[in-house]
Amino acid sequence: MSEYMSLDGVVQAPGGPQEDTSGDFRHGGWSIPFFDPDTMGPVLGEIAERGEALLQGRRTYQVSSAAWPNRAGDPFADWINGVQKYVVSDSLSEQDLTWNPAAIVRGADLVAKVSELRGKPGGYVYVYGSLSVVRALFSAMLVDELILMIEPITLGGGKTLFPTDGQARRFELASAATSSTGVQVCRYRPAG
């Protein structure tokens, strides 16, 4: 999974003003000025090369399905438009899924479905955004790699990434790179 994160730990609405305004969040799109294609682009390219499925929550799927279908011509856009998408939602129906290929995964089935996908040979199951899904995967210890793009901005509040369940989870830093815009691209893997 990958997430854009502010220095104060906020991951809410990095991509646009209307992406997620819940809780009166007014900084949507905060991540855009910090994108560095030379440092961050290869990370996304690797995801496209190795990813065989995309797992998203309802809101992330709806935002992405409005943005990505009209883009093409780079490896990530071509990958994301063609990859099998699994949408975690208890409110959407199969008919609501217009950005295909896509299938519904009900919340109660999330851990079983991800365990099933992880058991298949092949590439990655990729997650971005989708905070409820990410927290559930952390709680179930189903995170193999976490890519944080820590950006040089504080937002003073908003949704954060990690579960607040009192559990300690150790990670090892696998790599780190600094972009020309000051973003720290850090790859973490679970430790022991």
Side-chain angles (χ1 to χ4, degrees):
M1 63 182 59
S2 72
E3 299 289 345
Y4 298 100
M5 178 182 283
S6 68
L7 287 175
D8 54 349
V10 175
V11 294
Q12 185 172 352
Q18 300 306 313
E19 185 176 334
D20 180 1
T21 59
S22 62
D24 294 325
F25 189 74
R26 62 185 190 278
H27 302 296
W30 56 270
S31 177
I32 294 170
F34 301 107
F35 189 80
D36 174 5
D38 293 332
T39 304
M40 299 158 85
V43 174
L44 298 177
E46 179 190 341
I47 290 166
E49 287 176 22
R50 298 175 70 183
E52 290 190 9
L54 177 62
L55 181 67
Q56 298 180 305
R58 177 195 53 80
R59 184 189 314 263
T60 300
Y61 173 82
Q62 289 174 321
V63 168
S64 296
S65 69
W68 284 104
N70 297 323
R71 299 179 191 173
D74 72 69
F76 189 80
D78 294 344
W79 171 79
I80 202 168
N81 283 314
V83 73
Q84 174 64 50
K85 297 154 199 64
Y86 294 96
V87 183
V88 182
S89 176
D90 290 329
S91 60
L92 295 179
S93 69
E94 295 288 340
Q95 293 75 24
D96 295 321
L97 303 180
T98 57
W99 185 35
N100 289 301
I104 295 283
V105 176
R106 299 298 177 205
D109 301 327
L110 172 62
V111 169
K113 184 63 177 181
V114 170
S115 296
E116 172 193 325
L117 291 171
R118 288 175 82 224
K120 292 182 179 181
Y124 291 167
V125 177
Y126 177 53
V127 183
Y128 66 89
S130 309
L131 295 180
S132 297
V133 172
V134 168
R135 288 182 189 130
L137 296 177
F138 273 122
S139 294
M141 299 175 64
L142 291 174
V143 175
D144 294 316
E145 183 175 53
L146 174 61
I147 303 168
L148 292 180
M149 296 185 215
I150 305 165
E151 308 204 357
I153 186 172
T154 60
L155 300 170
K159 294 178 182 175
T160 59
L161 179 63
F162 301 102
T164 56
D165 58 6
Q167 295 294 315
R169 294 173 180 86
R170 292 193 57 198
F171 288 82
E172 297 174 343
L173 180 65
S175 68
T178 304
S179 78
S180 64
T181 59
V183 176
Q184 294 293 310
V185 180
C186 301
R187 298 176 89 123
Y188 295 95
R189 295 194 180 109

